[in-house]
Amino acid sequence: MCLSSPARFPPIPPVCNLGDDDGLAFSADSNDAGSAIAGINYRDLLDRIDHGFCIIEMLFDAEEKPVDYRFLEVNAAFESQTGLKNATGRTMRSFAPDHEDYWFEIYGRVALSGEAARFELPAEKLGRFYDVHAFRLGPAHLRRVAVVFSDISKRKRDEHRLALVSAEIDHRAKNLFAMVSSMIRLTKAETVGEFREKLSGRVASLVRSHQLLAATPDADLEELIEWEMDGFRAEGGHRIAWSGPTVRLPRQAAQSVLLVLHELATNALKYGALSARDGRLDLSWSWGEQGQLDLQWVESGGPEVRPPRRQGVGTGVMLGAIERQLGGKVSFDWRPGGLVCRLSLPRSALFK
């Protein structure tokens, strides 16, 4: 590859001189000696700013395509902003051979056209993100570009996190709306008071799940069960028991499981095991052979159970929460001695 750049550079006219002992120094006409800026050492000024600064010489191939650049001047903040040490006199490719092509293209365009560029782009090989202002320094044949830049990696990470949080809030709001809409649609009652009681219980269960999940994206299954069943233990006391391995459920699965537990517990309190003095409820869970999570709800000692003649609203709510939202399975075994309900949650609903 042929790299071309002027072998000798004539002095750069007004504004600044390069290559003297002071690096970059102001050049003023003697008639301006009284000016407030006359005689300022711009090298010292540039070394005092927090922004990185460098003057680069663009290198082109035989077809005038920009392929690299050489650092002619750097300020004191350059190293901390880039991580590059002893850069003066070296090329960018010598530091990062795979440095993104767009850096060379932009600086090459600035050097040839004289049009300044202001942009924000990542330098992945340096592991940083930059806010850059680049402008040509001197006439076009020198192919020199001055670059003022700042490492804005932290700001970009913060913006990315904010975008994720915003997307998560939007996602949660849509899920909440869908679940509440489903509850309203499926809740049926003979009177307004009964409708209010049923709907309030379901919404309260949803609220409890959000309180439990407010500070974390997932929840411990046993803690979730204890949280939901606490209100029913006053009725059932030691007659309610549960056991199983430690399992953490992602937010959507936790909300669905909590909703199902509420429906089952409410039904048990009204018509099942928890409505009788000697009734008992046992809840257990385990991992299945296909990696699914199997939960089993077993009632005993309550009134004799008969299969319902039609699917109730509560059953529809549970099927919607587990099967339609999570892709799982729900089965009901209406044994005379008590209801046995089995839930199966697929791995896809548990591990995102």
Side-chain angles (χ1 to χ4, degrees), residues 131-166:
D131 176 14
V132 180
H133 183 199
F135 53 95
R136 189 169 72 190
L137 192 64
H141 70 273
L142 294 182
R143 300 184 175 184
R144 292 180 177 178
V145 177
V147 185
V148 182
F149 59 94
S150 294
D151 182 357
I152 57 172
S153 303
K154 182 180 183 302
R155 193 191 87 194
K156 287 298 182 179
R157 288 194 297 269
D158 291 342
E159 290 176 353
H160 179 64
R161 282 194 291 267
L162 181 60
L164 291 178
V165 170
S166 297

Side-chain angles (χ1 to χ4, degrees), residues 43 46-47 49-54 73-79:
R43 177 75 216 195
L46 291 171
D47 282 342
I49 64 175
D50 294 333
H51 299 291
F53 175 81
C54 63
E73 293 265 0
V74 300
N75 72 340
F78 178 88
E79 182 177 324

Side-chain angles (χ1 to χ4, degrees), residues 22 45 48 95 124-125 129 132 155 160 172 196 198 205 209 263 274-275 277 288 303 317 324 349:
D22 293 326
L45 177 63
R48 292 176 181 271
F95 285 110
E124 294 185 1
K125 301 307 176 182
F129 209 113
V132 180
R155 193 191 87 194
H160 179 64
R172 286 197 214 177
R196 184 187 300 114
K198 289 182 176 180
S205 175
S209 71
E263 292 296 328
L274 298 185
S275 68
R277 182 182 299 274
V317 169
R324 285 189 288 275

